[in-house]
Amino acid sequence: MPKTKVIANSAEMKQRETAMHMREVPIDVQLPIYHHVHPDAALPTLAASAPFRAVIVADVPVTPAQQNRISDWLVAEGCLYAMAWGVAASSWDDAMDWSCLEKFNHGDVPAHGSVMTTWHDDEPLSEVFDFAIRCASHPTEALDELIVVHVAGAADPERIQAAFRVVCPSDHKEHP
């Protein structure tokens, strides 16, 4: 189960909360747009339509400065739901929160600009994708686009796509 900042008092309450955030209508499941990000390299142009959901696959440790730079980039590009997996997955939650606050000059964050975050440090990557497809939604914005930000020394889209294919139907559509 992903970790979030919301603490449920009972299993029943947690189940209701999860059901509340489940998508009512299935989305068109596609392979996510893949972006390899080396912690020290220039950040790529995103091919996603804002607002979007992002799965951060952290395969290497990053410094706080690198993590903040990547988080600032994601928030500036329109990420409204970030799910982190891998090395120090829970630290991405705070980095994304700070980036969101900075975007709004540390004032009140409007509901349409609020960034939802979860971290998934004890789950297989395929379960993160299942969560991204079935549960990751925003209270005010439609998030139909899903991207993967693979923070690693070298790109490995085949491994990431294989984890996604575990949970998506075999007749999925691929991005061009």
Short mmCIF file of all heavy atoms in Angstrom, two decimals, residues 60-114:
data_model
loop_
_atom_site.label_atom_id
_atom_site.label_comp_id
_atom_site.label_asym_id
_atom_site.label_seq_id
_atom_site.Cartn_x
_atom_site.Cartn_y
_atom_site.Cartn_z
N VAL A 60 18.91 5.66 -8.64
CA VAL A 60 20.18 6.08 -8.06
C VAL A 60 19.91 7.12 -6.98
O VAL A 60 18.91 7.82 -7.03
CB VAL A 60 21.14 6.69 -9.13
CG1 VAL A 60 21.55 5.65 -10.15
CG2 VAL A 60 20.52 7.91 -9.81
N PRO A 61 20.81 7.21 -5.99
CA PRO A 61 20.64 8.26 -4.99
C PRO A 61 20.88 9.63 -5.63
O PRO A 61 21.68 9.76 -6.56
CB PRO A 61 21.70 7.95 -3.94
CG PRO A 61 22.52 6.83 -4.44
CD PRO A 61 21.95 6.35 -5.73
N VAL A 62 20.17 10.63 -5.12
CA VAL A 62 20.36 11.99 -5.61
C VAL A 62 20.60 12.90 -4.40
O VAL A 62 20.18 12.59 -3.29
CB VAL A 62 19.15 12.50 -6.41
CG1 VAL A 62 18.98 11.73 -7.70
CG2 VAL A 62 17.87 12.46 -5.61
N THR A 63 21.26 14.01 -4.64
CA THR A 63 21.46 14.99 -3.58
C THR A 63 20.15 15.77 -3.41
O THR A 63 19.31 15.78 -4.33
CB THR A 63 22.58 15.98 -3.93
OG1 THR A 63 22.17 16.76 -5.06
CG2 THR A 63 23.90 15.26 -4.23
N PRO A 64 19.98 16.43 -2.28
CA PRO A 64 18.78 17.26 -2.13
C PRO A 64 18.66 18.32 -3.25
O PRO A 64 17.55 18.58 -3.73
CB PRO A 64 18.96 17.91 -0.76
CG PRO A 64 19.76 16.90 0.01
CD PRO A 64 20.73 16.34 -1.02
N ALA A 65 19.78 18.89 -3.66
CA ALA A 65 19.74 19.91 -4.73
C ALA A 65 19.27 19.29 -6.05
O ALA A 65 18.47 19.91 -6.78
CB ALA A 65 21.12 20.55 -4.90
N GLN A 66 19.75 18.10 -6.37
CA GLN A 66 19.31 17.42 -7.59
C GLN A 66 17.82 17.08 -7.51
O GLN A 66 17.07 17.29 -8.47
CB GLN A 66 20.12 16.14 -7.82
CG GLN A 66 21.57 16.39 -8.14
CD GLN A 66 22.42 15.13 -8.02
OE1 GLN A 66 22.15 14.25 -7.19
NE2 GLN A 66 23.46 15.05 -8.84
N GLN A 67 17.40 16.58 -6.38
CA GLN A 67 15.99 16.22 -6.18
C GLN A 67 15.10 17.46 -6.29
O GLN A 67 14.04 17.41 -6.93
CB GLN A 67 15.82 15.55 -4.83
CG GLN A 67 14.47 14.92 -4.63
CD GLN A 67 14.41 14.17 -3.31
OE1 GLN A 67 14.76 14.73 -2.26
NE2 GLN A 67 13.98 12.93 -3.36
N ASN A 68 15.52 18.57 -5.71
CA ASN A 68 14.73 19.80 -5.79
C ASN A 68 14.65 20.31 -7.22
O ASN A 68 13.59 20.78 -7.66
CB ASN A 68 15.32 20.88 -4.88
CG ASN A 68 15.14 20.55 -3.41
OD1 ASN A 68 14.29 19.75 -3.04
ND2 ASN A 68 15.98 21.13 -2.57
N ARG A 69 15.74 20.22 -7.96
CA ARG A 69 15.75 20.67 -9.35
C ARG A 69 14.78 19.85 -10.19
O ARG A 69 13.99 20.39 -10.98
CB ARG A 69 17.17 20.56 -9.92
CG ARG A 69 17.34 21.10 -11.33
CD ARG A 69 18.81 21.03 -11.75
NE ARG A 69 19.26 19.68 -11.94
CZ ARG A 69 19.25 19.04 -13.11
NH1 ARG A 69 18.81 19.63 -14.18
NH2 ARG A 69 19.69 17.81 -13.19
N ILE A 70 14.78 18.54 -10.01
CA ILE A 70 13.87 17.66 -10.75
C ILE A 70 12.43 17.91 -10.33
O ILE A 70 11.52 17.98 -11.16
CB ILE A 70 14.28 16.18 -10.57
CG1 ILE A 70 15.65 15.94 -11.23
CG2 ILE A 70 13.23 15.24 -11.16
CD1 ILE A 70 16.31 14.62 -10.84
N SER A 71 12.20 18.08 -9.04
CA SER A 71 10.85 18.35 -8.54
C SER A 71 10.34 19.70 -9.04
O SER A 71 9.17 19.81 -9.46
CB SER A 71 10.83 18.32 -7.01
OG SER A 71 11.16 17.04 -6.54
N ASP A 72 11.18 20.73 -9.02
CA ASP A 72 10.78 22.04 -9.54
C ASP A 72 10.38 21.94 -11.00
O ASP A 72 9.39 22.53 -11.44
CB ASP A 72 11.93 23.05 -9.41
CG ASP A 72 12.20 23.48 -7.98
OD1 ASP A 72 11.37 23.22 -7.09
OD2 ASP A 72 13.27 24.09 -7.75
N TRP A 73 11.14 21.18 -11.77
CA TRP A 73 10.87 20.98 -13.19
C TRP A 73 9.52 20.29 -13.38
O TRP A 73 8.70 20.72 -14.20
CB TRP A 73 12.02 20.17 -13.79
CG TRP A 73 11.80 19.54 -15.12
CD1 TRP A 73 11.70 20.18 -16.33
CD2 TRP A 73 11.71 18.14 -15.39
NE1 TRP A 73 11.53 19.25 -17.33
CE2 TRP A 73 11.53 18.00 -16.78
CE3 TRP A 73 11.75 16.99 -14.60
CZ2 TRP A 73 11.42 16.75 -17.39
CZ3 TRP A 73 11.64 15.76 -15.21
CH2 TRP A 73 11.47 15.65 -16.58
N LEU A 74 9.27 19.23 -12.62
CA LEU A 74 7.99 18.51 -12.75
C LEU A 74 6.80 19.40 -12.41
O LEU A 74 5.80 19.43 -13.14
CB LEU A 74 7.99 17.26 -11.86
CG LEU A 74 8.76 16.07 -12.39
CD1 LEU A 74 8.90 15.00 -11.32
CD2 LEU A 74 8.07 15.51 -13.62
N VAL A 75 6.90 20.14 -11.32
CA VAL A 75 5.80 21.03 -10.92
C VAL A 75 5.61 22.13 -11.95
O VAL A 75 4.47 22.44 -12.34
CB VAL A 75 6.04 21.59 -9.50
CG1 VAL A 75 5.05 22.69 -9.17
CG2 VAL A 75 5.95 20.47 -8.47
N ALA A 76 6.69 22.71 -12.43
CA ALA A 76 6.59 23.77 -13.44
C ALA A 76 5.96 23.26 -14.74
O ALA A 76 5.24 24.00 -15.42
CB ALA A 76 7.96 24.37 -13.73
N GLU A 77 6.20 21.99 -15.06
CA GLU A 77 5.66 21.42 -16.30
C GLU A 77 4.20 20.98 -16.16
O GLU A 77 3.57 20.66 -17.15
CB GLU A 77 6.51 20.22 -16.74
CG GLU A 77 7.90 20.59 -17.20
CD GLU A 77 7.92 21.29 -18.55
OE1 GLU A 77 7.02 21.03 -19.38
OE2 GLU A 77 8.83 22.11 -18.77
N GLY A 78 3.67 20.94 -14.94
CA GLY A 78 2.25 20.62 -14.76
C GLY A 78 1.95 19.31 -14.05
O GLY A 78 0.82 18.84 -14.11
N CYS A 79 2.92 18.74 -13.36
CA CYS A 79 2.66 17.52 -12.60
C CYS A 79 1.77 17.85 -11.41
O CYS A 79 2.11 18.70 -10.58
CB CYS A 79 3.97 16.90 -12.12
SG CYS A 79 3.73 15.40 -11.15
N LEU A 80 0.62 17.16 -11.32
CA LEU A 80 -0.28 17.36 -10.18
C LEU A 80 -0.43 16.09 -9.34
O LEU A 80 -1.16 16.09 -8.36
CB LEU A 80 -1.65 17.85 -10.66
CG LEU A 80 -1.69 19.27 -11.19
CD1 LEU A 80 -3.12 19.66 -11.56
CD2 LEU A 80 -1.10 20.27 -10.20
N TYR A 81 0.23 15.01 -9.75
CA TYR A 81 0.24 13.80 -8.92
C TYR A 81 1.56 13.09 -9.19
O TYR A 81 1.84 12.69 -10.31
CB TYR A 81 -0.92 12.87 -9.27
CG TYR A 81 -1.30 11.95 -8.12
CD1 TYR A 81 -2.58 11.98 -7.60
CD2 TYR A 81 -0.38 11.07 -7.55
CE1 TYR A 81 -2.94 11.14 -6.54
CE2 TYR A 81 -0.73 10.25 -6.50
CZ TYR A 81 -2.01 10.29 -6.00
OH TYR A 81 -2.35 9.47 -4.94
N ALA A 82 2.38 12.95 -8.15
CA ALA A 82 3.67 12.29 -8.28
C ALA A 82 3.71 11.07 -7.37
O ALA A 82 3.40 11.16 -6.19
CB ALA A 82 4.81 13.23 -7.92
N MET A 83 4.09 9.93 -7.96
CA MET A 83 4.25 8.68 -7.22
C MET A 83 5.72 8.30 -7.31
O MET A 83 6.24 8.15 -8.42
CB MET A 83 3.37 7.59 -7.84
CG MET A 83 1.88 7.89 -7.71
SD MET A 83 0.89 7.30 -9.08
CE MET A 83 1.11 8.60 -10.28
N ALA A 84 6.38 8.17 -6.17
CA ALA A 84 7.81 7.89 -6.17
C ALA A 84 8.07 6.44 -5.77
O ALA A 84 7.43 5.91 -4.86
CB ALA A 84 8.54 8.83 -5.22
N TRP A 85 9.05 5.83 -6.45
CA TRP A 85 9.45 4.46 -6.18
C TRP A 85 10.96 4.37 -6.30
O TRP A 85 11.57 5.03 -7.13
CB TRP A 85 8.80 3.54 -7.21
CG TRP A 85 9.15 2.09 -7.05
CD1 TRP A 85 8.50 1.18 -6.28
CD2 TRP A 85 10.23 1.39 -7.67
NE1 TRP A 85 9.12 -0.05 -6.39
CE2 TRP A 85 10.19 0.06 -7.23
CE3 TRP A 85 11.25 1.78 -8.55
CZ2 TRP A 85 11.11 -0.90 -7.64
CZ3 TRP A 85 12.17 0.84 -8.97
CH2 TRP A 85 12.09 -0.50 -8.51
N GLY A 86 11.57 3.59 -5.46
CA GLY A 86 13.01 3.34 -5.57
C GLY A 86 13.79 3.93 -4.42
O GLY A 86 13.31 4.01 -3.29
N VAL A 87 15.00 4.38 -4.73
CA VAL A 87 15.94 4.89 -3.73
C VAL A 87 15.34 6.12 -3.05
O VAL A 87 14.97 7.09 -3.72
CB VAL A 87 17.29 5.24 -4.38
CG1 VAL A 87 18.24 5.83 -3.34
CG2 VAL A 87 17.90 4.02 -5.05
N ALA A 88 15.24 6.07 -1.73
CA ALA A 88 14.74 7.19 -0.92
C ALA A 88 13.41 7.73 -1.45
O ALA A 88 13.19 8.93 -1.54
CB ALA A 88 15.79 8.30 -0.83
N ALA A 89 12.51 6.81 -1.78
CA ALA A 89 11.22 7.19 -2.38
C ALA A 89 10.47 8.21 -1.53
O ALA A 89 9.86 9.14 -2.06
CB ALA A 89 10.36 5.95 -2.62
N SER A 90 10.51 8.06 -0.21
CA SER A 90 9.73 8.96 0.64
C SER A 90 10.23 10.40 0.60
O SER A 90 9.46 11.33 0.86
CB SER A 90 9.70 8.46 2.08
OG SER A 90 10.98 8.46 2.63
N SER A 91 11.49 10.61 0.26
CA SER A 91 12.01 11.98 0.24
C SER A 91 11.46 12.79 -0.94
O SER A 91 11.46 14.02 -0.89
CB SER A 91 13.54 11.97 0.20
OG SER A 91 14.01 11.42 -1.02
N TRP A 92 10.96 12.13 -1.97
CA TRP A 92 10.40 12.86 -3.11
C TRP A 92 9.11 13.58 -2.71
O TRP A 92 8.75 14.60 -3.29
CB TRP A 92 10.16 11.92 -4.28
CG TRP A 92 11.44 11.51 -4.94
CD1 TRP A 92 12.18 10.39 -4.69
CD2 TRP A 92 12.15 12.23 -5.94
NE1 TRP A 92 13.30 10.38 -5.46
CE2 TRP A 92 13.31 11.50 -6.25
CE3 TRP A 92 11.92 13.44 -6.60
CZ2 TRP A 92 14.23 11.93 -7.20
CZ3 TRP A 92 12.84 13.86 -7.55
CH2 TRP A 92 13.99 13.12 -7.83
N ASP A 93 8.41 13.05 -1.73
CA ASP A 93 7.17 13.66 -1.25
C ASP A 93 7.44 15.10 -0.80
O ASP A 93 6.77 16.04 -1.24
CB ASP A 93 6.61 12.80 -0.12
CG ASP A 93 5.45 13.44 0.59
OD1 ASP A 93 4.39 13.59 -0.03
OD2 ASP A 93 5.60 13.79 1.78
N ASP A 94 8.40 15.28 0.08
CA ASP A 94 8.72 16.62 0.57
C ASP A 94 9.26 17.52 -0.53
O ASP A 94 8.93 18.70 -0.60
CB ASP A 94 9.72 16.54 1.73
CG ASP A 94 9.10 15.99 3.00
OD1 ASP A 94 7.87 16.11 3.16
OD2 ASP A 94 9.85 15.43 3.82
N ALA A 95 10.11 16.98 -1.39
CA ALA A 95 10.67 17.79 -2.47
C ALA A 95 9.56 18.32 -3.39
O ALA A 95 9.58 19.49 -3.78
CB ALA A 95 11.68 16.97 -3.28
N MET A 96 8.58 17.48 -3.71
CA MET A 96 7.47 17.93 -4.56
C MET A 96 6.62 18.95 -3.82
O MET A 96 6.16 19.94 -4.41
CB MET A 96 6.63 16.73 -5.01
CG MET A 96 7.33 15.79 -5.97
SD MET A 96 7.74 16.53 -7.57
CE MET A 96 6.10 16.77 -8.27
N ASP A 97 6.40 18.74 -2.51
CA ASP A 97 5.62 19.71 -1.71
C ASP A 97 6.30 21.08 -1.71
O ASP A 97 5.65 22.11 -1.90
CB ASP A 97 5.44 19.22 -0.28
CG ASP A 97 4.46 18.07 -0.16
OD1 ASP A 97 3.71 17.80 -1.12
OD2 ASP A 97 4.45 17.42 0.92
N TRP A 98 7.61 21.10 -1.48
CA TRP A 98 8.34 22.38 -1.47
C TRP A 98 8.30 23.05 -2.83
O TRP A 98 8.16 24.28 -2.93
CB TRP A 98 9.78 22.17 -1.01
CG TRP A 98 9.89 22.02 0.48
CD1 TRP A 98 10.22 20.89 1.17
CD2 TRP A 98 9.64 23.03 1.46
NE1 TRP A 98 10.18 21.13 2.52
CE2 TRP A 98 9.83 22.45 2.74
CE3 TRP A 98 9.27 24.37 1.39
CZ2 TRP A 98 9.67 23.15 3.91
CZ3 TRP A 98 9.11 25.07 2.58
CH2 TRP A 98 9.30 24.47 3.82
N SER A 99 8.38 22.26 -3.88
CA SER A 99 8.32 22.83 -5.23
C SER A 99 6.96 23.46 -5.48
O SER A 99 6.86 24.54 -6.09
CB SER A 99 8.61 21.76 -6.27
OG SER A 99 9.95 21.34 -6.17
N CYS A 100 5.91 22.81 -5.03
CA CYS A 100 4.56 23.35 -5.18
C CYS A 100 4.42 24.65 -4.40
O CYS A 100 3.89 25.65 -4.91
CB CYS A 100 3.53 22.32 -4.72
SG CYS A 100 1.82 22.87 -4.90
N LEU A 101 4.91 24.68 -3.17
CA LEU A 101 4.85 25.90 -2.37
C LEU A 101 5.62 27.04 -3.03
O LEU A 101 5.15 28.19 -3.05
CB LEU A 101 5.39 25.64 -0.96
CG LEU A 101 4.47 24.86 -0.04
CD1 LEU A 101 5.21 24.46 1.24
CD2 LEU A 101 3.22 25.65 0.28
N GLU A 102 6.80 26.73 -3.56
CA GLU A 102 7.60 27.76 -4.23
C GLU A 102 6.88 28.30 -5.47
O GLU A 102 6.96 29.50 -5.76
CB GLU A 102 8.97 27.21 -4.59
CG GLU A 102 9.87 27.08 -3.38
CD GLU A 102 11.26 26.58 -3.71
OE1 GLU A 102 11.70 26.71 -4.87
OE2 GLU A 102 11.90 26.04 -2.80
N LYS A 103 6.19 27.44 -6.19
CA LYS A 103 5.46 27.87 -7.38
C LYS A 103 4.43 28.95 -7.02
O LYS A 103 4.19 29.86 -7.80
CB LYS A 103 4.77 26.67 -8.04
CG LYS A 103 3.97 27.04 -9.27
CD LYS A 103 3.34 25.81 -9.90
CE LYS A 103 2.54 26.21 -11.13
NZ LYS A 103 1.97 25.04 -11.79
N PHE A 104 3.86 28.85 -5.82
CA PHE A 104 2.85 29.81 -5.38
C PHE A 104 3.42 30.77 -4.32
O PHE A 104 2.69 31.29 -3.49
CB PHE A 104 1.61 29.07 -4.88
CG PHE A 104 0.92 28.32 -5.98
CD1 PHE A 104 1.12 26.96 -6.14
CD2 PHE A 104 0.11 28.99 -6.88
CE1 PHE A 104 0.50 26.27 -7.18
CE2 PHE A 104 -0.51 28.32 -7.93
CZ PHE A 104 -0.31 26.95 -8.07
N ASN A 105 4.74 31.00 -4.38
CA ASN A 105 5.42 31.96 -3.51
C ASN A 105 5.12 31.73 -2.03
O ASN A 105 4.97 32.68 -1.26
CB ASN A 105 5.08 33.39 -3.91
CG ASN A 105 5.57 33.70 -5.30
OD1 ASN A 105 6.68 33.37 -5.67
ND2 ASN A 105 4.70 34.32 -6.10
N HIS A 106 5.01 30.48 -1.64
CA HIS A 106 4.77 30.08 -0.25
C HIS A 106 3.47 30.64 0.32
O HIS A 106 3.30 30.76 1.52
CB HIS A 106 5.96 30.42 0.65
CG HIS A 106 7.19 29.67 0.25
ND1 HIS A 106 7.48 28.42 0.72
CD2 HIS A 106 8.20 29.98 -0.62
CE1 HIS A 106 8.61 28.00 0.19
NE2 HIS A 106 9.07 28.92 -0.63
N GLY A 107 2.54 30.98 -0.57
CA GLY A 107 1.21 31.44 -0.14
C GLY A 107 0.22 30.30 -0.19
O GLY A 107 0.60 29.12 -0.19
N ASP A 108 -1.04 30.65 -0.24
CA ASP A 108 -2.08 29.63 -0.33
C ASP A 108 -2.02 28.95 -1.70
O ASP A 108 -2.01 29.63 -2.73
CB ASP A 108 -3.47 30.24 -0.14
CG ASP A 108 -3.71 30.68 1.30
OD1 ASP A 108 -3.09 30.09 2.20
OD2 ASP A 108 -4.52 31.61 1.50
N VAL A 109 -1.99 27.64 -1.68
CA VAL A 109 -1.97 26.86 -2.92
C VAL A 109 -3.42 26.62 -3.31
O VAL A 109 -4.18 26.03 -2.54
CB VAL A 109 -1.22 25.53 -2.74
CG1 VAL A 109 -1.29 24.69 -4.00
CG2 VAL A 109 0.22 25.78 -2.32
N PRO A 110 -3.82 27.06 -4.51
CA PRO A 110 -5.21 26.81 -4.93
C PRO A 110 -5.44 25.32 -5.16
O PRO A 110 -4.51 24.57 -5.49
CB PRO A 110 -5.33 27.60 -6.24
CG PRO A 110 -3.94 27.78 -6.73
CD PRO A 110 -3.05 27.77 -5.52
N ALA A 111 -6.68 24.89 -5.00
CA ALA A 111 -7.01 23.47 -5.15
C ALA A 111 -6.55 22.94 -6.50
O ALA A 111 -6.03 21.83 -6.59
CB ALA A 111 -8.51 23.24 -4.97
N HIS A 112 -6.70 23.73 -7.55
CA HIS A 112 -6.33 23.26 -8.89
C HIS A 112 -4.82 23.18 -9.08
O HIS A 112 -4.35 22.58 -10.04
CB HIS A 112 -6.95 24.16 -9.98
CG HIS A 112 -6.36 25.52 -10.03
ND1 HIS A 112 -6.82 26.54 -9.23
CD2 HIS A 112 -5.35 26.03 -10.76
CE1 HIS A 112 -6.10 27.63 -9.47
NE2 HIS A 112 -5.20 27.34 -10.39
N GLY A 113 -4.03 23.72 -8.16
CA GLY A 113 -2.58 23.66 -8.27
C GLY A 113 -1.92 22.75 -7.25
O GLY A 113 -0.70 22.58 -7.26
N SER A 114 -2.70 22.15 -6.40
CA SER A 114 -2.18 21.27 -5.36
C SER A 114 -1.59 20.00 -5.97
O SER A 114 -2.21 19.37 -6.82
CB SER A 114 -3.30 20.92 -4.39
OG SER A 114 -2.84 20.03 -3.41
#
